[in-house]
Amino acid sequence: MKVCVVGTGYVGLTTGVSLAFLGHEVTCVDLDQQKIDMLTGGSCPIYEPGMEDLLAEATANLTFTTSYAEAVPGADVVFVAVQTPSADDGSPDLRYLRSAAESVAQNLDHDFTVVVNKSTVPIGSGNWVDAILRESFAQRADRPAGCEFSVASNPEFLREGNAIHDTLFPDRIVIGSDNPRSLEVLNQLYRPIINQTFTAPSFSPRPDDIGAVPLVSTDLASAELIKYAANAFLALKISYANEIGQLAAKVGADISEVTRGMGLDQRIGSRFLQAGVGWGGSCFGKDTKALIATAAEYNYSMPIVQAAREVNERQRLIAVERLQDELRILKGRKIGLLGIAFKPNTDDLRDSPALDIANLLLARGARVRLHDPIAGERFRREQPSLAPYLSDSLDALFDDCDAVVLVTEWAQYLELDWGKFVGLMRTPILLDGRHVLDAERMARLGYKYLAIAG
């Protein structure tokens, strides 16, 4: 099929490159000329493992442009994957979605095109986008005869750092539309993934246990709500583990053992039960806030989701308070933070716990140093107020440090020669913000090991 993807962020780029790899003819459009130039030259503007390799393999079926007039005409499917940041009231800011829909409508010319909301959008956005498309299309003096289109929802469930694997080998594919023809087009588009008939890339082999991928084909509103409900539930699991972790600390229990015992229950599962400094990224915070805002429009409150957000915010403050309890005074203390990205294998800084912890420490007079094996360049660009506190080397971070906090569980930190650095510190205090280090081993090396929870 001929596919247009609007937006080349994490979701849009992964979608476009993956579909091109599967053999579809894909054109990605983005108004950022610098990003388009990078992609045209074979470079990736985001850090995502395997993306540049997949980009190279799919290049014969890929085109990048800043022109809607080049990307939209003749497309069987148009994916809209633009940013939908949170507005002040918690609802998603849909200005970019509106602009994209208007631009798409000005260039539709095919006998039937499915316009797909790939961005995470509020329930009802499919109907809203459909109205924008029809209004903008009707205003065209050159609108072609026989041109039909319909709106569908196809939410993404990608984990940054695992985006290619999650696209090619997903747990499920969700498509929603009130038009049966749209559902059939998307069914055919995804057939290679559903049936797993494609040759897997060498750097992302097909899992041995994968069979046919389940397809959830439903109405627009249900597909939109599935996305929010799934993300909110995962956020709830993490916040629940963190809340239990604080109780574990008070009663003398080991939260790692508690969550392991919980996770072995097949009704619960072990994923997203890791206690620590909390979740971050572009999805959980924004989507839980949007879900609460949507419910408020219908005079309905969601106290469980709100509590998950409050627990998550509290975890970042708890990290600072653990340091203060140990050091007594934070003013003038040098505190090193290992990891800036919100999770490993990405350079995404959105809602990163490290940023909040750094600002809280600075507000209390601490001397902060930060390090990240990948996200440093993006950090300097996006966080100019914190950029002076970035350390290019681990030696500089550990030197004369009063405490070090593991914030992001990068493999580079887990495999670190910790014994090499303990002697550089003024007081070898180590706060494990992710419960991933061996407490006994760290103690043998000379660290005073602290955990974020029991």
Side-chain angles (χ1 to χ4, degrees):
M1 292 186 180
K2 185 173 181 181
V3 177
C4 166
V5 179
V6 180
T8 58
Y10 280 98
V11 174
L13 187 59
T14 303
T15 300
V17 175
S18 297
L19 289 174
F21 171 76
L22 295 174
H24 298 294
E25 182 185 344
V26 179
T27 302
C28 295
V29 58
D30 196 297
L31 300 183
D32 187 332
Q33 184 67 59
Q34 184 177 3
K35 289 175 70 174
I36 294 301
D37 290 343
M38 287 184 67
L39 289 164
T40 301
S43 298
C44 188
I46 59 173
Y47 178 79
E48 178 63 37
M51 182 64 76
E52 289 197 356
D53 293 328
L54 195 68
L55 184 63
E57 291 196 25
T59 187
N61 296 325
L62 265 174
T63 303
F64 297 99
T65 182
T66 58
S67 170
Y68 280 87
E70 293 179 19
V72 175
D76 300 295
V77 181
V78 176
F79 286 97
V80 181
V82 295
Q83 59 177 318
T84 54
S86 293
D88 292 339
D89 64 354
S91 62
D93 182 346
L94 301 179
R95 77 181 85 170
Y96 304 106
L97 181 59
R98 171 184 281 278
S99 176
E102 291 172 344
S103 297
V104 168
Q106 291 300 310
N107 291 280
L108 288 168
D109 70 346
H110 201 37
D111 60 331
F112 185 74
T113 301
V114 184
V115 179
V116 182
N117 275 342
K118 195 70 174 173
S119 307
T120 302
V121 292
I123 296 92
S125 293
N127 304 82
W128 181 71
V129 168
D130 185 77
I132 293 172
L133 287 169
R134 298 193 182 283
E135 180 181 349
S136 298
F137 185 77
Q139 293 173 353
R140 287 175 56 182
D142 65 337
R143 59 183 183 274
C147 176
E148 296 184 28
F149 52 87
S150 176
V151 172
S153 174
N154 174 216
E156 53 83 18
F157 302 97
L158 306 180
R159 297 167 298 165
E160 290 184 30
N162 297 276
I164 292 170
H165 180 277
D166 291 347
T167 300
L168 298 178
F169 314 112
D171 294 329
R172 78 290 202 195
I173 293 173
V174 176
I175 56 176
S177 180
D178 299 327
N179 183 314
R181 189 176 177 185
S182 291
L183 296 175
E184 179 56 31
V185 169
L186 293 178
N187 187 313
Q188 292 302 314
L189 180 79
Y190 283 120
R191 187 54 50 184
I193 294 178
I194 294 169
N195 292 339
Q196 289 292 299
T197 53
F198 63 93
T199 301
S202 59
F203 53 85
S204 185
R206 179 176 285 105
D208 293 335
D209 58 350
I210 193 170
V213 173
L215 175 68
V216 179
S217 184
T218 184
D219 59 275
L220 263 175
S222 295
E224 291 167 343
L225 184 53
I226 285 169
K227 168 64 176 179
Y228 279 108
N231 271 5
F233 187 77
L234 296 176
L236 289 174
K237 285 189 73 174
I238 298 172
S239 287
Y240 180 72
N242 283 328
E243 193 163 59
I244 293 296
Q246 296 310 309
L247 178 60
K250 293 182 182 297
V251 302
D254 184 337
I255 185 57
S256 298
E257 291 299 305
V258 172
T259 53
R260 186 170 75 93
M262 290 171 56
L264 289 171
D265 187 328
Q266 293 184 10
R267 298 168 301 174
I268 298 174
S270 61
R271 296 172 67 184
F272 291 86
L273 275 182
Q274 288 72 38
V277 292
W279 38 262
S282 64
C283 294
F284 288 174
K286 180 170 67 72
D287 292 354
T288 51
K289 187 185 291 187
L291 193 58
I292 292 169
T294 298
E297 293 177 5
Y298 294 87
N299 298 312
Y300 185 72
S301 64
M302 304 196 77
I304 295 176
V305 179
Q306 180 59 40
R309 291 178 53 81
E310 292 169 0
V311 168
N312 194 63
E313 290 180 16
R314 188 176 67 191
Q315 290 302 112
R316 305 172 188 204
L317 179 59
I318 286 173
V320 175
E321 291 176 341
R322 288 287 281 126
L323 293 171
Q324 186 162 287
D325 289 344
E326 192 65 33
L327 293 167
R328 302 302 178 190
I329 296 173
L330 290 177
K331 287 183 175 62
R333 304 286 196 181
K334 181 180 176 183
I335 311 294
L337 303 183
L338 295 175
I340 308 172
F342 85 93
K343 62 177 290 189
N345 297 321
T346 181
D347 61 351
D348 197 342
L349 307 173
R350 287 174 289 184
D351 198 23
S352 170
L355 304 183
D356 283 344
I357 293 171
N359 283 316
L360 286 167
L361 287 169
L362 288 168
R364 299 192 185 197
R367 297 181 296 129
V368 175
R369 293 295 180 269
L370 303 103
H371 180 274
D372 194 283
I374 292 295
E377 182 179 344
R378 184 168 179 174
F379 175 73
R380 285 191 176 94
R381 186 171 64 250
E382 295 183 3
Q383 298 291 326
S385 64
L386 289 175
Y389 306 107
L390 183 66
S391 291
D392 291 324
S393 73
L394 287 170
D395 290 84
L397 182 139
F398 275 88
D399 185 45
D400 201 35
C401 227
D402 292 285
V404 166
V405 185
L406 178 64
V407 185
T408 310
E409 64 276 32
W410 283 97
Q412 290 92 326
Y413 298 148
L414 304 187
E415 299 164 2
L416 198 64
D417 182 2
W418 287 92
K420 169 186 172 183
F421 296 102
V422 66
L424 297 177
M425 298 181 68
R426 182 188 303 175
T427 52
I429 295 171
L430 171 61
L431 175 58
D432 185 354
R434 294 295 180 182
H435 287 269
V436 290
L437 299 174
D438 185 327
E440 293 183 0
R441 175 173 175 263
M442 293 299 114
R444 287 196 304 271
L445 291 174
Y447 290 96
K448 183 166 186 180
Y449 177 89
L450 307 175
I452 198 72

